[in-house]
Structure formats: structure tokens, C-alpha cells
Amino acid sequence: MKASKSKGDVPARLIADDPNLTLGDFAAMVIRSQYRQLIKREEQVLADEEPEHLHQMRVATRRLRTALQVFHAAIALPKAAHANRVGDLARTLGELRDLDVQLADLQEIYRPQLTPQEQKYLDEVIRALVKHRRQVYTKVASTFGRSRYENLKGAYERWLANPQFTAIATLPLRLLLPELLSPLLSELLLHPGWMVAAQDQSTAASHTLHDLRKACKHARYQIEFFVPFYGVAFQTWVADVKLLQEKLGKLQDNAV
């Protein structure tokens, strides 16, 4: 099924009250936005001068993959654009990003707290990690030059120029919002990590909280697509989920 009349690049907040907005229209708009966020960071990541560009590109791959999961029933993508291809790219970028975070924490947080002798030992570790990072960066740079990555970009460019949908994509988005959001929310709210006691420092509790962090991130990425359709209370709740995710992330970083 071909696309209905395109909404172009109109921000979601400006069309949230449009009763004619279909699931397909919104899916294409979200996918277009996340794909463009991804590719616009490519040159800066290759330049390797500012870690934030790598972080934002990695986030864009995750958000794009999440969008494909949320709207999978409505979109008909070519094989080269499937979520697993985006996931492969996210993992490659993630390996480099994890090293950046680890190096920053060791240099900026932990090293200043050590004695001069301990700093010498840590500096050896840091030099080894920097060497490993150069190897991983080479892997990232070579990924951008491979046909698999070019095929992924080409597939998205063609699909966005002429989106293809399934029959369900013609239904009004507002009619489907509860069905789209309920599974995302229940997965997070029923997670066992909410029941971990504050004083529990066991390995099992640490693993459960790490999994809760991932659940928070996954749910937030999904739910944020729909923020324009709800009120301030919903936006505040999403912000709380983000804050919890960040705090759980600090716990995990310290554990690592």
C-alpha cells in the first residue's frame, strides 16, 4: 500500500490535534526524523573530535530501531532497512561510546581521588584503553565505508521518498493510541526491579536494577514519540522515567 498524503516535516506537536492523522502518516514522520538525526552526525563522528556526536548518533540508531518496533505492524520496509540492520550499527557505535564513557569516568572522577602512586597504575590502564579505542574507532570508520551501511541508507532514502504501508496504516492514530501505549507501559511498570529494596546490594539485585534501567530507556524512547498527544502530567512522568534511568545508569557505571 502506498503512502497517503505526506505530512512532510511538520513537527508532531503541530499536528497532534489533526483528526485525519493516520498511523502511517505519523510512523513515516517519526522514522524520517530519527533517520535524519542519525545521518547528520556521520561526518562529525568520523572527525572524532567531540564525543557528543558519537553519543547522539548512537541514540539516533536506538530511537530509529525503537520506532521500527513500535510501528512494525503499519510499515512495509525493504530488507536492508530492517531493525536488525539498524541494531548492528548501534552495537558498533556502542562499543566505541562505552569506551569513551569509561575513559571519561576514570580520568575525571576516579583519578583525582587516588594517590600519586595509584595514579601511575591507573595511567597504565588508561593508556591501554586509549590504544584499544583507536582500534575500535577504526572499526567504526570502516563500517561507514562498507556497502552494507550504504545499502541501509539507500533503503531509507527510497522508502522515505515513497513510504509503503500495510492496511492498518490507514486507521486514525488517535483511535490506536491506547493499543500502542499499553504494552509499552505495562512492560515497564511490571518490571521486578521496582521491588528491589534500597539496602539490597547483592549481585542479583544489581543485575535486576541494570535490567530495569534498560527497560526505562526502552520504554522512554517509545513513549516519547507520543508525548505531543498528552498533557503536562504525562510529560512530567516521562521526565521522571528519564531521571531514574540516569541514576540507575550511574549505579551501573560504578559497578563496572
Side-chain angles (χ1 to χ4, degrees):
M1 178 177 293
K2 293 186 177 181
S4 59
K5 186 177 180 181
S6 173
K7 299 291 181 180
D9 295 321
V10 180
R13 69 181 187 279
L14 298 182
I15 62 172
D17 294 327
D18 182 359
N20 298 316
L21 181 67
T22 67
L23 176 61
D25 287 332
F26 190 66
M29 184 173 65
V30 171
I31 291 170
R32 178 182 293 107
S33 174
Q34 301 310 316
Y35 170 71
R36 288 182 174 171
Q37 287 295 318
L38 189 160
I39 61 172
K40 81 174 188 178
R41 302 281 181 173
E42 185 179 314
E43 290 186 7
Q44 292 94 332
V45 170
L46 284 173
D48 200 28
E49 296 175 352
E50 173 52 59
E52 182 64 18
H53 294 299
L54 172 66
H55 172 56
Q56 292 302 326
M57 187 174 189
R58 183 194 189 190
V59 169
T61 60
R62 286 177 167 177
R63 289 182 181 275
L64 176 57
R65 191 181 184 192
T66 298
L68 301 183
Q69 294 168 345
V70 172
F71 301 112
H72 72 95
I75 57 178
L77 286 173
K79 182 178 180 180
H82 282 186
N84 63 322
R85 300 290 182 93
V86 181
D88 290 343
L89 177 61
R91 282 187 288 274
T92 300
L93 297 173
E95 187 178 358
L96 186 60
R97 173 60 183 170
D98 289 347
L99 282 169
D100 282 345
V101 172
Q102 188 174 17
L103 281 166
D105 283 352
L106 291 176
Q107 293 169 322
E108 298 169 12
I109 299 176
Y110 294 103
R111 191 179 188 279
Q113 302 180 55
L114 302 178
T115 66
Q117 184 60 40
E118 290 171 330
Q119 288 180 349
K120 291 180 180 179
Y121 294 130
L122 181 60
D123 288 343
E124 292 181 14
V125 175
I126 290 173
R127 284 193 291 270
L129 287 174
V130 169
K131 181 179 179 180
H132 180 50
R133 188 195 180 282
R134 286 196 292 267
Q135 297 170 342
V136 176
Y137 167 76
T138 299
K139 178 182 176 182
V140 170
S142 65
T143 295
F144 288 168
R146 291 176 183 168
S147 59
R148 185 180 179 90
Y149 180 66
E150 291 300 323
N151 290 340
L152 183 145
K153 292 197 297 182
Y156 274 100
E157 295 291 350
R158 290 188 295 273
W159 189 85
L160 289 171
N162 184 28
Q164 301 293 308
F165 301 115
T166 64
I168 197 175
T170 61
L171 294 177
L173 177 65
R174 282 195 169 275
L175 179 68
L176 301 174
L177 281 176
E179 282 69 27
L180 289 169
L181 281 170
S182 294
L184 313 182
L185 294 173
S186 63
E187 181 181 352
L188 173 61
L189 297 177
L190 295 175
H191 194 282
W194 299 110
M195 303 303 295
V196 174
Q199 65 271 20
D200 189 346
Q201 299 185 25
S202 65
T203 300
S206 178
H207 289 165
T208 301
L209 290 176
H210 177 49
D211 193 65
L212 176 60
R213 171 183 173 258
K214 291 190 292 184
C216 286
K217 178 168 58 178
H218 187 59
R220 180 172 67 86
Y221 283 174
Q222 294 174 322
I223 294 166
E224 281 179 340
F225 297 144
F226 303 101
V227 164
F229 300 93
Y230 292 89
V232 174
F234 186 75
Q235 297 174 25
T236 301
W237 182 79
V238 173
D240 288 342
V241 172
K242 180 180 180 181
L243 180 61
L244 175 62
Q245 173 197 325
E246 292 172 350
K247 290 184 179 298
L248 290 172
K250 288 297 182 183
L251 282 176
Q252 177 63 17
D253 290 343
N254 288 337
V256 172

